[in-house]
Amino acid sequence: MNEFREEPSKYIWRWTQWSWVCVGVAVLIALMGITSGGSVTPWLIGAIAVAVIGGVAFGFVPRASLAQPKRPMTPGAKRKSAGR
């Protein structure tokens, strides 16, 4: 019988600095809604949307990049980045 094998994903999700930025922006939106004195519901819905959509979207990173070791800069690369 033909069996369908799914290829492993090329991306993996993890917390990145941009995921945390989205969560921070969501907290600010929620605080603005709480302190506005009006209806809090739209603000909280917006805050949750920013946290979930932005946090998840920015959290997907290529799986291959996780296995790459951090390499020191070569002297040529340092010279080029310094603009000489």
Side-chain angles (χ1 to χ4, degrees):
M1 182 172 204
N2 257 347
E3 210 176 299
F4 177 74
R5 282 191 79 202
E6 191 172 326
E7 177 183 333
S9 175
K10 292 180 175 80
Y11 294 91
I12 189 169
W13 189 88
R14 67 186 320 187
W15 282 106
T16 63
Q17 61 191 14
W18 289 108
S19 296
W20 286 113
V21 167
C22 289
V23 170
V25 168
V27 169
L28 290 176
I29 291 171
L31 288 175
M32 286 170 38
I34 291 169
T35 58
S36 69
S39 176
V40 180
T41 307
W43 291 92
L44 292 180
I45 291 171
I48 291 169
V50 166
V52 171
I53 295 170
V56 169
F58 282 116
F60 281 104
V61 293
R63 188 181 293 270
S65 70
L66 299 176
Q68 297 289 330
K70 299 285 185 206
R71 293 176 286 188
M73 287 180 74
T74 62
K78 287 180 184 176
R79 207 173 24 258
K80 190 173 181 180
S81 70
R84 295 182 194 167

